[in-house]
Amino acid sequence: MPSINEKITEEIRKLASSLLDSGTVAAFLGFTKGTLPGRMQPFVARKPEDAQKLHWNSFCVVNLANYLPALLKSFEPPRRPNDPPPEGPLPKVGVLATGCWSRNMVVQIQENQIDRDRVVIVGISSRGMVDRKKLLEKVGGREITSIDEDDHSLTVTGQGFEEKINRWDVVRDNCQTCVHPDPVIYDELIGELGGERKIPDRFRQVDEIEALSIDERWSWFQNEISSCIRCYACRNACPLCYCPTCFVDDSRPQWVGKSIDKVDTALFHILRAYHCAGRCTDCGSCESVCPMGIRMRLFTKKLQKDVLELYDFEPGLDLETPLPLSTYRMDDPQDFILTHIKKGEEK
Amino acid sequence: METGKNSDWEPKIIAFLCNWCSYAGADLAGVSRYQYPPSIRIVRVPCSGRISANLILDALRSGADGVLVSGCHPGDCHYISGNLYARRRFALLERFLEFIGIEPGRVNFTWISASEGEQFAKVAQEVTERVKRLGPARKLVKEIESCPA
Amino acid sequence: MSTPKGSVLVVGGGIAGVQAALDLADSGFYVHLVEKSSAIGGSMSQLDKTFPTNDCSACILSPKLVEAGRHLNINLLTLSEVLDVSGEPGNFTVRVKQNPRYVDPNKCIACGTCAQKCPKKVPNEFDLGLGKRKAIYLRYPQAVPLKYAIDPKACIYLNKPGRCGFCQKVCPTGAINFDEKPKELSLEVGTIILALGFKPFDPTSLDFTGYGKLNNVVTSMEFERLLSPSGPCMGHLERPSDKKEPKKIAWLQCIGSRDINRACHGYCSSVCCMYAIKQAVIAKEHAQSGDLASSIFYMDMRTHGKGFEAYYERAKEQGIEFHRARVHTVLPAENDNLTLRYTDTKGNVHEEEFELVVLSVGLETDPGVMKLCHELGIQLDQDNFISTTPFAPVATNRQGIYVCGAVCEPKDIPQSVMEASAAACKAQELLSKARWTETKKKEFPPERNVYAEPPRVGVFVCSCGINIASVVDVKEVTEYAKTLPGVVFAQNNLFTCSQDTINQMAEIIKRERLNRVVVASCTPRTHEPLFQETLREAGINKFLFEMANIRDQDSWVHQNWPEKATEKAKDLVRMAVAKVLGDEPLPYNQLPVTKKALVIGAGVAGMVSALSLADQGFPVCLVERKDRLGGHARKFFRTWQGQPMQEYLEELTKRIEDHPLVEIELGATVEEVSGSVGQFKTRLSNGKDVEHGVAIVAVGAESYKPRTGKWNYLYGKNPNVFTLLELDQRFIKADKALSGLNQAVFIHCVGSRVPERPYCSRVCCTHAIDQALKLKELNPDMDIFMLYRDIRTYGKREHLYQEAREKGIIFIRYDLEHLPVASEEDGNIVIEVEDQIIGERIRLHPDILVLASGVRPRDDVGELSKLFKCAMTQEGFLLEAHMKLRPVDFATDGVYLAGLCHYPKPVEETIAQAQAAASRAAMILSKDAVPAESITAQVNPMKCTGCGVCTRVCAYHAVAIDQNSGKAAVDTGLCKGCGACVAGCRSDAITLRNLGNEQLMAEVEAAMEG
């Protein structure tokens, strides 16, 4: 009996092929297997026969929404900055979307980065993607030569070892704490919806840090980012980091130095996270692609927690609710305003 | 209203004040001769809504021991709603900075109207005292040559 | 009337005259401003601080004077007097005599060498003789024009030619001309505005005060000079006898006011209570030892203006003592001290010693003014003030001649400014056909293109007299400024805002080829426009300018840390220099003007404003929420001078209804407002859209009805309890029953001057007393009792109070601890009150009880104020742009206010304010375009992602995503330059011109470099 992922892979191929064949879409964005076990890479199928290369498993960690604007743009005729938009309908693109990716697409639609009419969103309820670092840890850091997966376990083999690992144990933190695994917008659905998940302590990781003293938190933060090599993989993998000139690359003004000085690194991480405030859907791409294992998701998760707490908002759940930093309420909380001095602080 | 007996160190605090309320309030403190410590360096901006997280962080990076951002009271913004957008930006930034270990009191936010000269002097006093208790800011100050820890 | 002249004569260069001149000159008329002394500024320039904001008088006045002095359409005629007037309204011929200055103003550079060398010292009249000046002198340091003058009575040379003449020898520019002769000018003008001001009462004749005999008895005007930093003791409070700082000062109120017997002035001078409190507060601040004891001796505390009552309460908290007592003698005591003998409210006689006594002298008309009025045929009233009527508050008996300020009744500065604008309004109505016929146009020299030039910054460091220099080492700051990158010139000035320094600055900019300027002085909020214009005159763009606020935000707030204040001043200068280096020249944007006004509220204020604008030829849309015109005034019986209100109202309504330029929208309110000055678009509740260039808010207020609580006094329970307006209704209906009453009781201050409504409603005392007199008229035998806290019949209203007492109306004072108590016995009203003089409880059995309850703001004013982006006071009245000098403007351009929504006021003041609002509105409507914001947002399309955050956070809908490019684009006409978009943009793609991130960062980083 085929596994869930095998069934999904089959359905993806069938659907992509028919969308391409009928000319509904000019391209279909999914994943194909990478060169290493447990590495998937984004793949664009442009012909019906390409669809056979599409694949789905627990290692699809990169948010496909990241590639969508550029892919859409590639189908537009070239034009100069002030030329009128091309007339007539432009080619569409099909794309796979789990819960967090679809929410991310919602944000991008709200921010005019994706034209909803030009995408055929193929929704897949996410069962959680695997954290390769957790997996490596399970096998003691030994080199993995192949991974076989069924619905609830992974069989990992390498030079002189084969281990069966409980899949959920190595699922990414963001997926483990995800409450919206289902796509929020889609045109086609593959598999079944899993429904909202109840996670009472979805912000547990943030709560733990908040419980630390101010100095401990600073040490934690310093320690967390100390290995950063400023490669910007986190930024590049993030679909929300779409500025043509990122603040880290700007020289007028120079917000952040380009060195790996700890202050510059800290400012980079603070601002990167802050720029995602009220927008980040916790897809985990940033963390998944970090070569140094920095858990920068904790930063965005903190902001996500505060946005929910202060403004009762979660990004990407619908197209209508305005993003929290471009709206306000007269009675927004303002405990932080001086003269409302916080308890316990003035010890 | 004077302090500073506990230490001779005078912190430097960057105050971003909106032109219409808080800057006028600071002027009124002067007109009314309310005295406050000479630690505040006022940067006049049109509206508290002009102030971004980037600017606040830049002040800290440049070596400010503290930052104060003040705008019109909610509902009084000369530009209708600038301070209300600002309030959301600041609320998230303030919590985030505290989360990563920046001491509460380094970055302060308040509302001061054009008629609150005394309030301005009090806030200047209070912010100075807070920052003095914390001591010189080190965490986000970029040094020319990093000293070994 | 044939074609009228397009110019106006304003007589008197005090604040009222200057305001009238500026209003007219800015709306298309040429103004001749005649001033008898050598400089404009009037009495206000002699004041130290102004109540209730404690603004430095010179500081807020100075920019206006300089503006008037520099105005292309104001012809300043100092040392001049009007001889006579002939002709008719629209075409007057005025003969003016201009006395010689003996100093050529075109040559004088105000260096002061002449005065240094002049051997002749005479008492300085600007300091009321407390200090000395030379025979060649400047009236005061910030004088406009800043030109020396020779006093011909004192000058040795002029009296004995050949004797002295030192000044002529030392003058570096050869400006002295002893041969100058008086000139006679003949001016052709359309109208004349008299702003002749007042003279402080001279108490020499009042023996009991000891004035003139005892050294340490001074008048309040003298005390202003003692407090003033530019006064005889440089702002260090000293008493005249021994130059020691007094530790105990008494103020005696009502000197030369409310005194028929000794001073022959029955009226109340209206301003003395407030200025005495102000002086007491300021003196306490000045006192270096910090233990000054201040006592004010008064009859009634009259704090009846906006913010006054709160000021009074604050003064009490600050420890200023208030004695309700009239001092009968001031006696000499040891050490030049003074003993006051006075009787308290219980009749006990006290003696107390003081080190200085200040006489709160009243205001009266100068005999010279009376003479002029006589020659011009202008009618004076019994108090020698110019006669006006409540329905034409700025018109004299002679058509085409208007009046404003304290010459028609003692009044404070905002009231004078209001009347000045009102007089300007009346002049415009008469001459509207001649607008722009005689004006000149300001031509600035072409601006130098500075883009390619390396920065050449000039820094001007101001001493502000001693305001800055006494704390900050300005010389050190100046020297420091010279070391800053980009700075090629720095100098220190005594008063950077004086005309002379400003002219010099323009010269220096040209000479040194400066392309950036920094002034380190006071606050840009008042002085930036002045300096910016100087840059334009010197041929560089005015946005290449920054100020460092080293006074309000440095020297004034760090008085005890001179060294640190100096360090801070250096930091502030360095920050300003860092900022100015990034400044670029900006365009002078303009907004076209829709020549139509929207007036909201059709009470007296709204109708007067609307009519005045329509009479000037501007279409008006008048919106009224009710279904009829008239507002609050419908309920009024008569003015306090006895004119029936309803007749006036009828006539006014008819004129409005018949006017072809007024469209009336009844039963409508304002729902939505967009746009800004010059081009508003307003949606009314009836669905109509109105496009208009200006708006006047005149939505009125409500009367307070004490339905519950401790001020209830059976109101709503007993049919014979009324409010003032309810009694007025009965007068209007000529209710016969009123003549049959035997006893009436009025309770004053019902629900006023208490923490919930901490302001005085200004009108109720006069209204109640007038009603009491009307009742007496109906039945002379009626017993009438007035239960009051302070009687506030300010100005000429005091005559009513005198009349009431003469007619046997009984006044009984109560205070908040001893409120009158009302009860019912068999349906009859019983009032119990403690008479504080005899110390007994009195029971009264009135047939009617009248509650003088105050005026309260309307609850819906808040919403309206938000629509027009206007501010409100804590009490809920609308807040003008400046309490003293902009009493009818809002901070929002193009929106004005008038009437009760501003503050409670009687009808004559409402009419004056409504006319003033029309005058201010006409300043916009008379132009085809008004200047618009230059500091606007700008998009860098290379960085823009089109995400739209900027479009959502912009409150003015000034940013939109361009459909073609997909990038944000700014409509600079709508942009107000707040920068919300800049802070919202993650991509740094939108910036504010001259307030970009790079510049602010440079400023912040500069702050840290010290």
Side-chain angles (χ1 to χ4, degrees), chain C residues 158-176:
Chain C
L158 286 172
N159 289 296
K160 289 181 183 168
R163 273 300 184 78
C164 176
F166 283 139
C167 53
Q168 199 171 36
K169 290 182 196 111
V170 298
C171 177
T173 62
I176 313 291

PDB file of all heavy atoms in Angstrom, chain C residues 158-176:
ATOM      1  N   LEU C 158      20.833 120.031  19.833  1.00  0.00           N
ATOM      2  CA  LEU C 158      19.619 120.612  19.265  1.00  0.00           C
ATOM      3  C   LEU C 158      19.129 121.804  20.076  1.00  0.00           C
ATOM      4  O   LEU C 158      18.487 122.707  19.554  1.00  0.00           O
ATOM      5  CB  LEU C 158      18.508 119.563  19.174  1.00  0.00           C
ATOM      6  CG  LEU C 158      18.694 118.521  18.066  1.00  0.00           C
ATOM      7  CD1 LEU C 158      17.662 117.423  18.168  1.00  0.00           C
ATOM      8  CD2 LEU C 158      18.640 119.173  16.680  1.00  0.00           C
ATOM      9  N   ASN C 159      19.440 121.788  21.365  1.00  0.00           N
ATOM     10  CA  ASN C 159      19.027 122.914  22.195  1.00  0.00           C
ATOM     11  C   ASN C 159      20.031 124.054  22.171  1.00  0.00           C
ATOM     12  O   ASN C 159      19.674 125.217  22.251  1.00  0.00           O
ATOM     13  CB  ASN C 159      18.764 122.439  23.620  1.00  0.00           C
ATOM     14  CG  ASN C 159      17.501 121.590  23.683  1.00  0.00           C
ATOM     15  OD1 ASN C 159      16.408 122.080  23.411  1.00  0.00           O
ATOM     16  ND2 ASN C 159      17.659 120.309  23.964  1.00  0.00           N
ATOM     17  N   LYS C 160      21.314 123.680  22.104  1.00  0.00           N
ATOM     18  CA  LYS C 160      22.349 124.709  22.019  1.00  0.00           C
ATOM     19  C   LYS C 160      23.309 124.326  20.909  1.00  0.00           C
ATOM     20  O   LYS C 160      24.373 123.740  21.176  1.00  0.00           O
ATOM     21  CB  LYS C 160      23.088 124.812  23.359  1.00  0.00           C
ATOM     22  CG  LYS C 160      22.225 125.423  24.445  1.00  0.00           C
ATOM     23  CD  LYS C 160      23.012 125.523  25.740  1.00  0.00           C
ATOM     24  CE  LYS C 160      22.099 126.072  26.830  1.00  0.00           C
ATOM     25  NZ  LYS C 160      22.697 125.932  28.159  1.00  0.00           N
ATOM     26  N   PRO C 161      22.951 124.644  19.673  1.00  0.00           N
ATOM     27  CA  PRO C 161      23.770 124.206  18.534  1.00  0.00           C
ATOM     28  C   PRO C 161      25.232 124.605  18.728  1.00  0.00           C
ATOM     29  O   PRO C 161      25.531 125.685  19.230  1.00  0.00           O
ATOM     30  CB  PRO C 161      23.140 124.907  17.347  1.00  0.00           C
ATOM     31  CG  PRO C 161      21.740 125.180  17.760  1.00  0.00           C
ATOM     32  CD  PRO C 161      21.773 125.388  19.232  1.00  0.00           C
ATOM     33  N   GLY C 162      26.108 123.708  18.361  1.00  0.00           N
ATOM     34  CA  GLY C 162      27.531 123.976  18.480  1.00  0.00           C
ATOM     35  C   GLY C 162      28.113 123.437  19.758  1.00  0.00           C
ATOM     36  O   GLY C 162      29.327 123.362  19.911  1.00  0.00           O
ATOM     37  N   ARG C 163      27.231 123.021  20.708  1.00  0.00           N
ATOM     38  CA  ARG C 163      27.753 122.593  22.001  1.00  0.00           C
ATOM     39  C   ARG C 163      28.278 121.152  22.006  1.00  0.00           C
ATOM     40  O   ARG C 163      29.360 120.880  22.433  1.00  0.00           O
ATOM     41  CB  ARG C 163      26.661 122.715  23.062  1.00  0.00           C
ATOM     42  CG  ARG C 163      26.598 124.095  23.694  1.00  0.00           C
ATOM     43  CD  ARG C 163      27.926 124.456  24.394  1.00  0.00           C
ATOM     44  NE  ARG C 163      27.821 125.726  25.069  1.00  0.00           N
ATOM     45  CZ  ARG C 163      27.214 125.889  26.250  1.00  0.00           C
ATOM     46  NH1 ARG C 163      26.674 124.852  26.852  1.00  0.00           N
ATOM     47  NH2 ARG C 163      27.140 127.073  26.805  1.00  0.00           N
ATOM     48  N   CYS C 164      27.541 120.217  21.564  1.00  0.00           N
ATOM     49  CA  CYS C 164      27.927 118.804  21.764  1.00  0.00           C
ATOM     50  C   CYS C 164      28.208 118.155  20.417  1.00  0.00           C
ATOM     51  O   CYS C 164      29.293 118.286  19.879  1.00  0.00           O
ATOM     52  CB  CYS C 164      26.814 118.086  22.519  1.00  0.00           C
ATOM     53  SG  CYS C 164      27.075 116.327  22.736  1.00  0.00           S
ATOM     54  N   GLY C 165      27.234 117.443  19.878  1.00  0.00           N
ATOM     55  CA  GLY C 165      27.396 116.839  18.550  1.00  0.00           C
ATOM     56  C   GLY C 165      28.354 115.672  18.502  1.00  0.00           C
ATOM     57  O   GLY C 165      28.843 115.295  17.449  1.00  0.00           O
ATOM     58  N   PHE C 166      28.626 115.060  19.672  1.00  0.00           N
ATOM     59  CA  PHE C 166      29.528 113.902  19.686  1.00  0.00           C
ATOM     60  C   PHE C 166      29.033 112.770  18.785  1.00  0.00           C
ATOM     61  O   PHE C 166      29.803 112.131  18.094  1.00  0.00           O
ATOM     62  CB  PHE C 166      29.667 113.354  21.129  1.00  0.00           C
ATOM     63  CG  PHE C 166      30.577 114.189  21.980  1.00  0.00           C
ATOM     64  CD1 PHE C 166      30.241 114.466  23.303  1.00  0.00           C
ATOM     65  CD2 PHE C 166      31.785 114.675  21.483  1.00  0.00           C
ATOM     66  CE1 PHE C 166      31.082 115.219  24.105  1.00  0.00           C
ATOM     67  CE2 PHE C 166      32.621 115.440  22.276  1.00  0.00           C
ATOM     68  CZ  PHE C 166      32.268 115.710  23.594  1.00  0.00           C
ATOM     69  N   CYS C 167      27.732 112.550  18.845  1.00  0.00           N
ATOM     70  CA  CYS C 167      27.187 111.416  18.094  1.00  0.00           C
ATOM     71  C   CYS C 167      27.522 111.534  16.609  1.00  0.00           C
ATOM     72  O   CYS C 167      27.903 110.574  15.961  1.00  0.00           O
ATOM     73  CB  CYS C 167      25.679 111.302  18.315  1.00  0.00           C
ATOM     74  SG  CYS C 167      24.776 112.815  17.998  1.00  0.00           S
ATOM     75  N   GLN C 168      27.401 112.784  16.120  1.00  0.00           N
ATOM     76  CA  GLN C 168      27.672 112.992  14.704  1.00  0.00           C
ATOM     77  C   GLN C 168      29.133 112.659  14.389  1.00  0.00           C
ATOM     78  O   GLN C 168      29.436 112.092  13.345  1.00  0.00           O
ATOM     79  CB  GLN C 168      27.386 114.450  14.351  1.00  0.00           C
ATOM     80  CG  GLN C 168      27.187 114.671  12.880  1.00  0.00           C
ATOM     81  CD  GLN C 168      26.686 116.073  12.582  1.00  0.00           C
ATOM     82  OE1 GLN C 168      27.077 117.042  13.261  1.00  0.00           O
ATOM     83  NE2 GLN C 168      25.820 116.195  11.604  1.00  0.00           N
ATOM     84  N   LYS C 169      29.996 112.974  15.362  1.00  0.00           N
ATOM     85  CA  LYS C 169      31.417 112.734  15.125  1.00  0.00           C
ATOM     86  C   LYS C 169      31.743 111.241  15.116  1.00  0.00           C
ATOM     87  O   LYS C 169      32.591 110.795  14.354  1.00  0.00           O
ATOM     88  CB  LYS C 169      32.248 113.449  16.198  1.00  0.00           C
ATOM     89  CG  LYS C 169      32.205 114.969  16.036  1.00  0.00           C
ATOM     90  CD  LYS C 169      33.067 115.687  17.063  1.00  0.00           C
ATOM     91  CE  LYS C 169      32.694 117.159  17.123  1.00  0.00           C
ATOM     92  NZ  LYS C 169      32.031 117.528  18.383  1.00  0.00           N
ATOM     93  N   VAL C 170      31.105 110.498  16.000  1.00  0.00           N
ATOM     94  CA  VAL C 170      31.493 109.080  16.105  1.00  0.00           C
ATOM     95  C   VAL C 170      30.707 108.151  15.194  1.00  0.00           C
ATOM     96  O   VAL C 170      31.098 107.009  14.998  1.00  0.00           O
ATOM     97  CB  VAL C 170      31.384 108.555  17.557  1.00  0.00           C
ATOM     98  CG1 VAL C 170      32.328 109.339  18.462  1.00  0.00           C
ATOM     99  CG2 VAL C 170      29.943 108.594  18.049  1.00  0.00           C
ATOM    100  N   CYS C 171      29.615 108.630  14.655  1.00  0.00           N
ATOM    101  CA  CYS C 171      28.786 107.706  13.860  1.00  0.00           C
ATOM    102  C   CYS C 171      29.582 107.184  12.663  1.00  0.00           C
ATOM    103  O   CYS C 171      30.041 107.972  11.837  1.00  0.00           O
ATOM    104  CB  CYS C 171      27.507 108.378  13.375  1.00  0.00           C
ATOM    105  SG  CYS C 171      26.529 107.270  12.321  1.00  0.00           S
ATOM    106  N   PRO C 172      29.772 105.859  12.578  1.00  0.00           N
ATOM    107  CA  PRO C 172      30.620 105.325  11.505  1.00  0.00           C
ATOM    108  C   PRO C 172      29.989 105.461  10.116  1.00  0.00           C
ATOM    109  O   PRO C 172      30.687 105.358   9.112  1.00  0.00           O
ATOM    110  CB  PRO C 172      30.793 103.848  11.874  1.00  0.00           C
ATOM    111  CG  PRO C 172      29.612 103.524  12.728  1.00  0.00           C
ATOM    112  CD  PRO C 172      29.244 104.786  13.440  1.00  0.00           C
ATOM    113  N   THR C 173      28.692 105.693  10.077  1.00  0.00           N
ATOM    114  CA  THR C 173      28.049 105.722   8.761  1.00  0.00           C
ATOM    115  C   THR C 173      27.541 107.116   8.399  1.00  0.00           C
ATOM    116  O   THR C 173      26.921 107.298   7.353  1.00  0.00           O
ATOM    117  CB  THR C 173      26.856 104.745   8.709  1.00  0.00           C
ATOM    118  OG1 THR C 173      25.899 105.164   9.684  1.00  0.00           O
ATOM    119  CG2 THR C 173      27.279 103.329   8.998  1.00  0.00           C
ATOM    120  N   GLY C 174      27.773 108.067   9.269  1.00  0.00           N
ATOM    121  CA  GLY C 174      27.317 109.419   8.981  1.00  0.00           C
ATOM    122  C   GLY C 174      25.813 109.552   8.937  1.00  0.00           C
ATOM    123  O   GLY C 174      25.238 110.241   8.092  1.00  0.00           O
ATOM    124  N   ALA C 175      25.162 108.865   9.863  1.00  0.00           N
ATOM    125  CA  ALA C 175      23.703 108.809   9.821  1.00  0.00           C
ATOM    126  C   ALA C 175      23.041 109.987  10.536  1.00  0.00           C
ATOM    127  O   ALA C 175      21.848 110.227  10.368  1.00  0.00           O
ATOM    128  CB  ALA C 175      23.215 107.502  10.433  1.00  0.00           C
ATOM    129  N   ILE C 176      23.794 110.694  11.339  1.00  0.00           N
ATOM    130  CA  ILE C 176      23.192 111.771  12.144  1.00  0.00           C
ATOM    131  C   ILE C 176      22.938 113.004  11.274  1.00  0.00           C
ATOM    132  O   ILE C 176      23.819 113.456  10.549  1.00  0.00           O
ATOM    133  CB  ILE C 176      24.104 112.165  13.321  1.00  0.00           C
ATOM    134  CG1 ILE C 176      24.613 110.932  14.068  1.00  0.00           C
ATOM    135  CG2 ILE C 176      23.394 113.161  14.243  1.00  0.00           C
ATOM    136  CD1 ILE C 176      23.592 110.163  14.847  1.00  0.00           C
TER     137      ILE C 176
END
